[in-house]
């Protein structure tokens, strides 16, 4: 095949460029160029206060110094992380449990197709609409407060969105409901890719289900677990739709639910402070890049040696993966 | 005690254990099903009830105001939902078409041809796959503003030509199911390169393109951040922006029947598509994720 490729390269190379050209033009124009502009903006001061538009001025690293001195960005990274982790812990726990059960041949869970369809459903729904729905359900006049009032006999509703913990937990619950199905499917695919002879051997040796789970399943799917963890963290850093709508962009109460991207959005559309917005974008980019590099590092370490095995696995998985 | 009795006892306890495990598993699964579905059941029920009815408290009974809520929602001039549906359909539909076609084209270019920058191009796309869209949002917004394309659906559609994740999926699919012999055979028969792609390769890629088309459609149907920066003219708003507006409006004074109905309208098309194609979608999630 190598020789035939070489032969082709003589006459057909230009087609390669032609075919990939639209992608790169679109990427350059709508992503790369805007990204350079964003980075450039982070070194300029440009803002509109009221009706007065201040002229653009090069300020070097002043925006960065200001951003870190103010320190709000740390608070918002902290909020984002706290809300993410509240949702992620039950997410990974439940997903692992479900994935182990669904793939357990002795357990033989019936109606798997139905359960998978149900748990994956929230993942494809509009986060904005789901958030609005939860806001309505937990609002002062929502069904949860009906239950609360009838249980406690209290006349006044519990104001879920006036308390720091309940607001954060509700956002995390929405994250959890929207993502645990997705994680379950990923982990299932990973578990089904594990060499079945390992499970057979453990059964012959009389291992209990929990022993099999901890000694075989977990170590075998470690790369996917790390992949899930870090991609979820990267997704978490970008958390926006849900807290934005739940708190109407205010991050209330007292900015305790303000995430980094909400902060960025405020600088663009409310504050019209492009210097600061650019700076936040660059910081966000660096954080996401570091996390992505972590994925890449783990992937190459864990998977380089297993590449051949993984290809085999994938072929098997295609056959085995029925819902 | 003879060996056979211990075996028998062991089998017996094993069976009990299995039964217990099975019961626990089903209880948890049923609970999770309830947690996942309850909010949407509440939504459907409340979409059929009138505002005063909803305020009286929640009941697991369908009301009789579905029709009037539906009419009110579509006659609301502050939030013109019909426009929202139209805009979201246009944006999500065009994005699905553009992104699957051009991703397949790009993947094909890299898969079939040999050229100097091939390795670089491939590595480049893998790297940018992880860059969050928000990072360039400011520049994108200002760029569109400077060329007068805010309050226009074009900036929501055309950038989807470059979809790294879709590309990656297509490339993987080609690695496993597009033999180069087919391309060579087409060439021998005198078929042009574009025609080979459009009329011979595309049919082979159909399953992958369908899965990615659905994902892109859903992702753009649900997309909120970028559209909310670009659009603020009410006739051009997409559904997520309109739904977010419900929250901005003084929520407690809003007609709750309409609120639930609007959420219902925003998510139900995707639910219908999902239920019809759930098999492919779930398989697609599993396949797309496992890196070879």
């Amino acid at each position: 095949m190598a020789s035939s490729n070489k032969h082709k390269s003589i006459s057909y190379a230009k087609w390669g460029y032609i075919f990939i050209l639209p992608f790169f033009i679109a990427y350059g124009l709508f992503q790369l160029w805007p990204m350079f502009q964003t980075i450039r903006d982070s070194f300029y001061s440009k803002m509109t206060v009221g009706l007065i538009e201040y002229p653009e001025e090069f300020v070097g690293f002043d925006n960065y110094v200001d951003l870190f001195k103010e320190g709000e960005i740390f608070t918002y990274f902290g909020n984002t992380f706290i809300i993410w982790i509240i949702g992620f812990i039950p997410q990974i726990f439940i997903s692992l449990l479900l994935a182990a059960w669904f793939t357990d041949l002795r357990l033989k869970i019936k109606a798997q197709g139905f359960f998978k369809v149900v748990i994956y459903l929230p993942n494809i729904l509009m986060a904005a609409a789901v958030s609005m729905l939860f806001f309505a359900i937990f609002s002062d006049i929502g069904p949860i407060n009906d239950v609360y009032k009838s249980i406690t006999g209290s006349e006044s509703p519990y104001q879920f969105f006036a308390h720091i913990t309940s607001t954060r937990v509700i956002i995390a619950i929405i994250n959890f409901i929207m993502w645990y199905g997705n994680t379950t499917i990923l982990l299932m695919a990973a578990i089904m890719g594990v060499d079945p002879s390992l499970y057979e051997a453990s059964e012959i040796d009389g291992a209990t289900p929990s022993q099999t789970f901890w000694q075989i399943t977990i170590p075998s799917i470690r790369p996917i677990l790390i992949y899930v963890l870090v991609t979820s963290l990267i997704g978490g850093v970008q958390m926006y739709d849900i807290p934005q709508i739940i708190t109407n962009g205010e991050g209330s109460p007292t900015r305790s639910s303000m995430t980094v991207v909400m902060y960025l959005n405020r600088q663009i559309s409310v504050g019209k402070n492009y210097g600061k917005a650019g700076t936040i974008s660059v910081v966000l980019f660096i954080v996401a890049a570091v996390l992505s590099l972590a994925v890449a590092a783990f992937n190459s370490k864990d998977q380089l040696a297993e590449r051949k095995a993984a290809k085999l696995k994938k072929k098997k998985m295609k056959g085995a993966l029925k819902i | 005690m003879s060996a056979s009795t211990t075996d028998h006892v062991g089998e017996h306890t094993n069976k009990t254990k299995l039964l217990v495990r099975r019961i626990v598993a089903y209880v948890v699964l049923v609970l999770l099903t309830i947690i996942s579905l309850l909010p949407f059941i509440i939504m459907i029920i409340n979409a059929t009830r009138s505002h005063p009815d909803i305020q009286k408290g929640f009941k697991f009974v369908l009301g009789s105001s579905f029709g009037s809520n539906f009419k009110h929602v579509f006659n609301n001039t502050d939030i013109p939902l019909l426009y929202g549906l139209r805009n979201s359909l246009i944006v999500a539909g065009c994005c699905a078409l553009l992104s699957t076609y051009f991703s397949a084209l790009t993947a094909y270019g890299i898969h079939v041809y040999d050229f100097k920058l091939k390795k670089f191009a491939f590595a480049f796309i893998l790297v940018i796959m992880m860059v969050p869209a928000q990072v360039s949002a400011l520049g994108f917004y200002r760029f569109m503003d400077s060329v007068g394309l805010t309050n226009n659906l074009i900036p929501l559609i055309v950038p989807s030509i470059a979809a790294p994740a879709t590309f990656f999926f297509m490339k993987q699919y080609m690695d496993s199911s597009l033999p180069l012999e087919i391309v060579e055979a087409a060439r021998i028969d005198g078929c042009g390169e574009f025609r080979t792609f459009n009329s011979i390769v595309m049919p082979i890629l159909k399953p992958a393109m369908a899965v990615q088309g659905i994902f892109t459609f859903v992702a753009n149907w649900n997309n909120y951040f970028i559209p909310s920066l670009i659009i603020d003219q009410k006739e051009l708003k997409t559904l997520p922006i309109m739904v977010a507006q419900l929250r901005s409006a003084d929520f407690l004074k809003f007609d709750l029947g309409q609120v639930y109905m609007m959420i219902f309208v925003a998510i139900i098309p995707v639910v219908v598509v999902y239920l019809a194609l759930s098999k492919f979608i779930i398989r697609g999630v599993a396949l797309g994720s496992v890196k070879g």
Side-chain angles (χ1 to χ4, degrees):
Chain A
M1 204 182 82
S3 67
S4 77
N5 264 339
K6 202 149 219 177
H7 174 70
K8 249 184 282 156
S9 69
I10 300 162
S11 40
Y12 292 106
K14 75 164 190 200
W15 288 101
Y17 290 108
I18 293 172
F19 279 26
I20 69 168
L21 197 62
F23 183 102
F24 281 87
I25 292 177
Y27 186 79
L29 202 58
F30 298 113
Q31 299 280 322
L32 207 57
W33 172 244
M35 202 157 91
F36 286 140
Q37 283 294 312
T38 305
I39 295 169
R40 181 196 163 275
D41 280 346
S42 75
F43 295 106
Y44 284 81
S45 80
K46 175 163 171 59
M47 55 170 115
T48 314
V49 180
L51 290 174
I52 308 161
E53 202 174 312
Y54 290 91
E56 210 167 49
E57 206 182 320
F58 182 78
V59 293
F61 280 95
D62 282 7
N63 287 329
Y64 291 86
V65 173
D66 288 348
L67 186 75
F68 293 132
K69 237 190 224 158
E70 266 174 26
E72 276 179 86
I73 186 88
F74 300 118
T75 315
Y76 303 146
F77 265 112
N79 294 341
T80 313
F81 182 77
I82 291 169
I83 296 171
W84 172 77
I85 197 94
I86 300 174
F88 185 74
I89 290 171
Q91 180 187 324
I92 195 74
F93 177 75
I94 297 277
S95 300
L96 262 176
L97 199 63
L98 294 188
W101 282 343
F102 281 145
T103 52
D104 190 327
L105 293 176
R106 272 184 296 183
L107 209 54
K108 283 199 206 91
I109 300 281
K110 293 216 175 78
Q112 274 203 30
F114 168 78
F115 286 124
K116 276 185 231 165
V117 168
V118 168
I119 63 174
Y120 187 71
L121 171 72
N123 192 237
I124 52 129
L125 299 181
M126 187 186 291
V130 177
S131 314
M132 195 56 219
L133 178 60
F134 271 76
F135 179 79
I137 289 173
F138 281 93
S139 72
D140 294 355
I141 47 174
I144 300 284
N145 259 314
D146 294 342
V147 176
Y148 170 81
K149 279 188 241 172
S150 69
I151 288 174
T152 59
S154 134
E155 280 293 301
S156 54
Y158 184 83
Q159 296 184 302
F160 286 95
F161 302 106
H163 296 85
I164 296 175
T165 311
S166 51
T167 307
R168 283 174 170 173
V169 168
I170 289 169
I171 298 168
I173 289 175
I174 301 173
N175 273 327
F176 164 75
I177 289 184
M178 289 189 72
W179 286 97
Y180 82 98
N182 184 291
T183 309
T184 305
I185 308 277
L186 297 193
L187 294 178
M188 265 186 71
I191 294 176
M192 286 165 115
V194 177
D195 188 352
S197 61
L198 288 177
Y199 288 112
E200 279 159 27
S202 80
E203 202 178 334
I204 291 166
D205 290 347
T208 65
S210 77
Q211 276 173 330
T212 313
F213 179 75
W214 290 109
Q215 315 274 345
I216 294 179
T217 306
I218 293 287
S220 307
I221 63 169
R222 210 178 63 104
I224 297 281
L225 274 178
I226 290 165
Y227 172 80
V228 166
L229 171 79
V230 184
T231 47
S232 167
L233 190 56
I234 293 172
V237 169
Q238 301 169 51
M239 198 190 306
Y240 174 74
D241 295 17
I242 299 169
Q244 171 77 14
I245 285 166
I246 287 281
T247 70
N248 198 14
E250 299 293 328
S252 50
T254 61
R255 301 252 166 141
S256 62
S257 314
M258 175 80 76
T259 65
V260 182
V261 179
M262 285 169 74
Y263 186 44
L264 169 64
N265 179 60
R266 274 184 92 82
Q267 300 310 323
I268 302 176
S269 47
V270 185
K272 299 230 176 278
N273 186 340
Y274 296 148
K276 197 169 183 181
T279 316
I280 298 167
S281 305
V282 172
V283 171
L284 189 66
F285 174 69
I286 293 170
V287 170
V290 168
L291 292 172
S292 306
L293 284 179
V295 175
F298 277 118
N299 268 349
S300 59
K301 208 171 81 182
D302 269 328
Q303 290 196 325
L304 208 59
E306 295 177 33
R307 186 148 289 177
K308 270 185 195 157
K311 260 191 191 152
L312 246 178
K313 269 184 215 165
K314 221 169 71 190
K315 261 185 205 153
K316 269 186 209 151
M317 212 188 65
K318 257 189 205 158
L321 206 76
K322 284 184 216 139
I323 67 158
Chain B
M1 214 183 266
S2 72
S4 70
T5 27
T6 35
D7 271 6
H8 188 73
V9 170
E11 204 174 279
H12 189 72
T13 50
N14 264 350
K15 263 192 184 156
T16 332
K17 262 188 197 159
L18 191 63
L19 187 70
V20 171
R21 273 182 3 102
R22 204 170 272 164
I23 290 170
V24 172
Y26 280 113
V27 169
V28 171
L29 278 170
V30 169
L31 277 177
L32 283 171
T33 305
I34 293 170
I35 292 172
S36 292
L37 293 185
L38 191 62
F40 306 104
I41 292 169
I42 293 175
M43 171 194 81
I44 292 170
I45 290 176
N46 276 352
T48 67
R49 301 165 78 209
S50 65
H51 182 67
D53 204 11
I54 293 171
Q55 277 189 312
K56 270 183 222 150
F58 185 75
K59 265 189 252 126
F60 278 102
V61 192
L62 289 177
S64 53
S65 307
F66 187 85
S68 68
N69 282 341
F70 196 76
K71 234 194 288 169
H72 287 147
V73 147
F74 281 102
N75 289 334
N76 187 331
T77 46
D78 288 331
I79 306 178
L81 201 60
L82 212 52
Y83 282 102
L85 271 171
R86 182 201 66 181
N87 298 334
S88 280
L89 268 177
I90 293 174
V91 170
C94 293
C95 283
L97 290 177
L98 285 181
S99 125
T100 45
Y101 182 77
F102 284 102
S103 299
L105 193 69
T106 314
Y108 182 75
I110 288 182
H111 182 68
V112 170
Y113 301 104
D114 232 349
F115 49 98
K116 243 189 203 156
L117 292 176
K118 171 180 166 138
K119 278 204 172 128
F120 171 78
F122 187 54
F124 182 81
I125 299 177
L126 290 192
V127 167
I128 62 177
M129 201 155 66
M130 285 296 196
V131 178
Q134 289 98 330
V135 164
S136 54
L138 169 70
F140 182 68
Y141 164 70
R142 293 193 61 191
F143 178 35
M144 290 303 124
D145 198 28
S146 69
V147 294
L149 278 176
T150 52
N151 280 322
N152 195 319
L153 295 181
I154 289 171
L156 307 185
I157 295 171
V158 180
S160 66
I161 288 174
T166 314
F167 159 86
F168 185 69
F169 187 91
M170 293 294 177
K171 180 74 176 69
Q172 275 196 314
Y173 191 82
M174 285 178 192
D175 287 343
S176 68
S177 30
L178 182 66
L180 288 176
E181 287 78 10
I182 292 181
V183 181
E184 269 158 26
R187 266 183 205 149
I188 292 166
D189 292 346
C191 189
E193 296 302 307
F194 261 106
R195 223 183 112 204
T196 307
F197 176 76
N198 287 330
S199 51
I200 296 170
V201 175
M202 288 250 287
I204 298 173
L205 299 180
K206 236 188 226 159
M209 292 180 83
V211 168
Q212 286 306 306
I214 296 164
F215 279 126
T216 311
F217 185 92
V218 169
N220 282 286
W221 181 271
N222 297 341
N223 193 9
Y224 172 54
F225 183 69
I226 298 286
S228 70
L229 286 176
I230 299 288
I231 311 281
D232 69 2
Q233 191 185 319
K234 69 182 179 187
E235 287 82 14
L236 288 172
K237 283 179 178 166
T238 54
L239 287 172
I241 310 176
M242 291 186 174
V243 169
Q245 248 179 301
L246 294 173
R247 177 67 181 86
S248 321
D250 197 350
F251 179 75
L252 294 176
K253 289 184 192 136
F254 219 84
D255 178 347
L256 281 174
Q258 280 194 48
V259 169
Y260 285 105
M261 178 57 84
M262 210 175 276
I263 298 170
F264 179 81
V265 171
I267 68 175
I268 227 57
V270 170
V271 172
V272 171
V273 173
Y274 172 71
L275 291 181
L277 304 170
S278 57
K279 224 175 207 171
F280 302 97
I281 293 175
I282 290 178
R283 204 176 299 164
V285 178
L287 284 181
S289 64
V290 180
K291 293 187 178 177

